[in-house]
Amino acid sequence: MPNSLEQNYQYRRRVMRVLLLFVVVAGFIFSAVNFYRGLIPLAIMELTYALFSLFLWQIILVTERFQMWITLFLVPFFIILVYAMYVPNSSESIFVWILTVPVISYLLMGRRQGFWLSLFFIFCGVTVYHFRFISGDSAINIADSVNIIASACLMISLAHVHEINREKNEERLLELAGTDKLTGLANRMKLMDAFKLYAEYAQRHGSPLSVVLFDLDFFKNVNDKHGHHVGDVTLRNIARFIEDRIRKTDLLARFGGEEFALLIAGSSDENCFQRVDLIRQQLCDTHFDHEQTPLTMTVSAGISTFGTDGTSLDDLLMKADQRLYLAKDNGRNCVVDANNEQIINLALKKMQI
């Protein structure tokens, strides 16, 4: 879902802004300290990076090239950390910062890119640490190496598990947010997200795309006669009935009340009408039993076509809704599309005369 991607980016933007603020402050402090200690190249790198971070802090919430700036920030950032360990007279404690690489990588780059980025720079950091700081007694060297490698592997593992769980929880929450509680179908939010993908594909490949609006005929009578509980059961039955008769590439959503919206991709106008009308006929011939009470429902439907009737979901829904109410005026239990709209309009006008 596009919405999932956007929410993920918003989450990363906020994390990035906190990190940038920290780097700006720490960069100025460490550059001053290293200028004082005589580590001029390292101090210049830190000062330059602090200024670069300040620039990013100002644009990171609005930039459209977020992923590019993330890469341009993290790779030099980790290189500076490794270089700071390599510089003579640098403190052994600087290795602590290398252990933050997995956390930062996973938070900002995601699970896959974060894994490879953290693995590479952790390897570089551990290698430089051994080159600079491990010498002398072999037993102590082995203990130091095991501690360093184990702590680095633990940080990568924890970051990896955390990111997997975060992705699953985010997907679950977005799925719940896009699902109608009564019928289990997609809701309006998911319909809008799906339409963006369907429309983009239809426009790029010149393939047909139709929007269908179904409305249950005389549904109010079911609630009045049998109660709202039976009405809810009926809505769930109708939802399953229609869903069982559409393709996996189509999307059925509860639009509101007793209305359902259906996105049909890759079917010509004629084929789309035939499929929708077949659903209408089959539903008319089907009895739903509730507590030994047979219920028969019919639907009216309106169909609009991407391109001909508009290119936005609002325009297509409006046109489908107009044809739906034309079907209602025509006696209900029928389907209206662009091909029979004019015929039905003329017939209704003659009846009024």
Side-chain angles (χ1 to χ4, degrees), residues 27 42 67 113 185 227 296-297 327:
L42 180 59
Q67 202 61 40
Q113 292 179 327
L185 298 177
T296 302
M297 297 298 302

Side-chain angles (χ1 to χ4, degrees), residues 193-236:
D193 285 343
F195 177 80
K196 293 176 185 176
L197 297 177
Y198 280 61
E200 185 179 335
Y201 182 87
Q203 201 159 22
R204 184 185 299 124
H205 299 280
S207 62
L209 172 62
S210 300
V211 175
V212 185
L213 272 183
F214 293 98
D215 187 87
L216 301 185
D217 298 326
F218 303 111
F219 180 73
K220 185 176 182 298
N221 294 344
V222 175
N223 284 330
D224 292 343
K225 185 177 180 180
H226 302 284
H228 288 280
H229 172 68
V230 176
D232 290 346
V233 172
T234 302
L235 284 173
R236 285 194 288 267

Side-chain angles (χ1 to χ4, degrees), residues 162-188:
H162 173 270
E163 186 63 18
I164 289 175
N165 288 332
R166 190 195 64 79
E167 287 177 359
K168 288 181 178 178
N169 289 334
E170 184 180 78
E171 289 174 4
R172 176 62 178 162
L173 289 172
L174 287 171
E175 185 65 28
L176 289 173
T179 302
D180 176 63
K181 293 181 181 179
L182 178 63
T183 62
L185 298 177
N187 60 16
R188 285 197 185 201

Side-chain angles (χ1 to χ4, degrees), residues 36-73:
Y36 176 77
R37 296 179 62 203
L39 302 176
I40 306 301
L42 180 59
I44 292 174
M45 292 173 66
E46 290 170 337
L47 179 60
T48 303
Y49 208 71
L51 294 173
F52 174 61
S53 300
L54 183 60
F55 162 74
L56 279 185
W57 184 84
Q58 295 174 321
I59 69 166
I60 201 64
L61 292 180
V62 296
T63 179
E64 294 181 0
R65 298 182 177 181
F66 177 73
Q67 202 61 40
M68 179 194 76
W69 286 117
I70 287 289
T71 304
L72 290 177
F73 172 80

Side-chain angles (χ1 to χ4, degrees), residues 96-123:
V96 173
W97 293 103
I98 294 295
L99 295 179
T100 66
V101 168
V103 177
I104 296 172
S105 298
Y106 275 88
L107 283 175
L108 295 178
M109 307 257 336
R111 179 162 47 92
R112 293 178 179 84
Q113 292 179 327
F115 171 76
W116 293 110
L117 191 68
S118 58
L119 190 67
F120 175 76
F121 281 104
I122 283 288
F123 173 79

